[in-house]
Amino acid sequence: MEGRKFKLSNFAIVLALVFGVANRQCSCAVVQFIFGDSLSDVGNNEYLTKSLARAALPWYGIDLGSGMPNGRFTNGRTVADIIGDKLGLPRPPAFLDPSLDEDTILTSGVNYASGGGGILNETSSHFIQRFSLYKQIELFQGTQELIRRKIGTEAADHFFNRSRYVVALGSNDFINNYFIPFYADSRNYNDNTFIDYLMTTLEAQLKLLHSLGARQLTFFGLGPMGCIPLQRFMTSTGSCQESTNKLAQNFNKASANLLDDLSNSLPNATFKFGDAYDAFQSLIDRPYLYGFNNSHAPCCTLGRIRPTLTCTPLSTLCRDRSEYVFWDEYHPTDQANEIIANEIIKKLDMKPINDTTTSP
């Protein structure tokens, strides 16, 4: 009799442990998985020591945390940072962060974004090291295996289905591929066929993410690429390159149609297109309306020695960073990113997901 009681007690303990763990897992906060380029990178390229696209030197990160470089290609927050904060989502650490483990993934998600990354594998190959979108998805598959071993297949599937997904890239496929003569894509395609090539590849990638459990995904569209300081510097007048902006608009239109098609055809998929092109163009055309006074030059620059592709300790900083739209030759400032993020939140009518009363 006593032996039977002992066995029953042990069985009860096992049940309590099993259901206790299950309840803990099911009550986890929703996290996000971010795929992208330097506009969303939070440190992956810092660990790619041979990469020529790194935000490893001051003055990157000057307005965030300790003010030291943290892998972000801006002075403060990325658009994904800001949107996630406003929705109550944890800021996911970089995939290559040495502190990343299964518990961190379950509570914070992962950021796979990589400076120079593109939809196409060949994009930015001159940077030597970077993660293309296909590579980022491959890394995500490895993450899934870790979580399955940690909590089991059923709980892991539930976790990944509930998570939010951000995909934000495409500009490098133009700036660091199609526009550069030594890339084969610049010779093999024209404007229309290259965008078709990008869409065919992106469709396969988003379908792959869906097959891996992505159900709620936002794709960030491109801004006015022809108005970034690097593109303006390359013109004789310093004005925006309208042909480049037209490519961004056509890419956005094709991407929006693709996201709609996937949402309607894939089971349980809510794939949305985050468009801030017009708001960003308005900010560039009329900066004074938004509290800025410079939308053509980078805040961090070597002055006459332009274009320098990155900000360095030898660069001169603008007097007031909050008045500049662009941080370096490529990337917006923290303040500009906030306007872009707010526009995406407004257009997609995004609502808080987790408790937002605790600051990140």
Side-chain angles (χ1 to χ4, degrees):
M1 188 70 169
E2 290 181 1
R4 185 166 176 267
K5 286 182 178 178
F6 178 75
K7 290 179 181 178
L8 286 173
S9 297
N10 281 350
F11 182 64
I13 291 171
V14 170
L15 284 177
L17 287 173
V18 169
F19 285 109
V21 170
N23 287 337
R24 179 181 63 81
Q25 291 162 354
C26 290
S27 64
C28 285
V30 175
V31 302
Q32 58 180 334
F33 295 93
I34 297 175
F35 306 82
D37 54 24
S38 58
L39 292 171
S40 305
D41 191 350
V42 295
N44 281 309
N45 280 28
E46 296 303 281
Y47 301 100
L48 299 177
T49 56
K50 295 180 181 178
S51 177
L52 299 182
R54 301 173 69 212
L57 298 170
W59 307 100
Y60 287 104
I62 191 172
D63 294 314
L64 186 65
S66 66
M68 297 300 293
N70 53 56
R72 290 169 174 81
F73 287 74
T74 183
N75 61 309
R77 301 161 297 169
T78 68
V79 170
D81 282 334
I82 296 165
I83 292 178
D85 291 350
K86 291 177 180 289
L87 299 186
L89 293 167
R91 288 185 186 173
F95 172 80
L96 293 180
D97 187 324
S99 67
L100 184 71
D101 59 18
E102 293 93 332
D103 290 333
T104 304
I105 294 167
L106 287 168
T107 57
S108 301
V110 185
N111 185 318
Y112 305 91
S114 172
I119 294 170
L120 305 176
N121 289 336
E122 58 265 33
T123 289
S124 301
S125 60
H126 59 287
F127 289 157
I128 303 177
Q129 286 183 309
R130 78 279 178 232
F131 294 151
S132 67
L133 182 52
Y134 265 128
K135 181 62 178 180
Q136 293 176 36
I137 296 173
E138 179 186 330
L139 298 176
F140 175 60
Q141 289 175 294
T143 298
Q144 291 193 312
E145 288 303 313
L146 284 176
I147 298 305
R148 288 192 186 99
R149 289 199 294 266
K150 174 79 171 178
I151 64 176
T153 299
E154 185 176 350
D157 288 346
H158 179 70
F159 170 71
F160 289 111
N161 287 163
R162 292 179 68 233
S163 298
R164 301 303 193 266
Y165 296 81
V166 171
V167 179
L169 75 180
S171 60
N172 284 310
D173 293 293
F174 293 98
I175 296 171
N176 289 306
N177 182 342
Y178 184 62
F179 293 163
I180 300 178
F182 63 75
Y183 277 90
D185 290 343
S186 69
R187 301 186 299 274
N188 295 337
Y189 299 94
N190 60 38
D191 291 357
N192 292 330
T193 59
F194 185 66
I195 291 177
D196 289 342
Y197 176 34
L198 290 175
M199 290 302 107
T200 300
T201 308
L202 181 61
E203 180 179 9
Q205 292 163 333
L206 296 181
K207 285 183 175 179
L208 177 55
L209 279 174
H210 179 269
S211 74
L212 297 172
R215 295 295 179 265
Q216 300 190 65
L217 180 148
T218 304
F219 183 88
F220 294 168
L222 302 183
M225 292 188 304
C227 295
I228 65 174
L230 176 66
Q231 291 289 307
R232 295 176 77 137
F233 181 82
M234 294 167 63
T235 68
S236 58
T237 62
S239 58
C240 296
Q241 294 198 36
E242 293 307 324
S243 60
T244 301
N245 283 346
K246 186 66 175 177
L247 279 174
Q249 291 172 314
N250 290 340
F251 174 91
N252 286 349
K253 182 178 180 180
S255 298
N257 290 336
L258 173 61
L259 271 289
D260 282 343
D261 290 343
L262 293 177
S263 268
N264 292 326
S265 61
L266 296 176
N268 302 314
T270 303
F271 285 13
K272 297 182 178 181
F273 180 73
D275 183 14
Y277 184 97
D278 290 341
F280 200 0
Q281 187 68 70
S282 177
L283 171 60
I284 290 169
D285 292 341
R286 295 172 288 275
Y288 301 104
L289 295 179
Y290 301 86
F292 296 80
N293 67 16
N294 190 312
S295 61
H296 59 273
C299 169
C300 187
T301 177
L302 283 174
R304 295 181 180 178
I305 309 176
R306 287 188 66 202
T308 52
L309 301 186
T310 60
C311 176
T312 75
L314 298 178
S315 301
T316 301
L317 294 184
C318 58
R319 185 169 298 177
D320 186 348
R321 294 184 287 278
S322 68
E323 295 183 349
Y324 274 65
V325 172
F326 289 99
W327 170 246
D328 62 11
E329 300 287 354
Y330 282 109
H331 309 97
T333 58
D334 176 281
Q335 287 76 12
N337 280 338
E338 181 151 20
I339 290 175
I340 296 167
N342 287 338
E343 179 68 10
I344 292 173
I345 290 172
K346 177 183 175 182
K347 278 195 170 182
L348 296 183
D349 193 26
M350 292 177 162
K351 305 296 183 185
I353 297 165
N354 296 319
D355 182 11
T356 59
T357 56
T358 302
S359 298

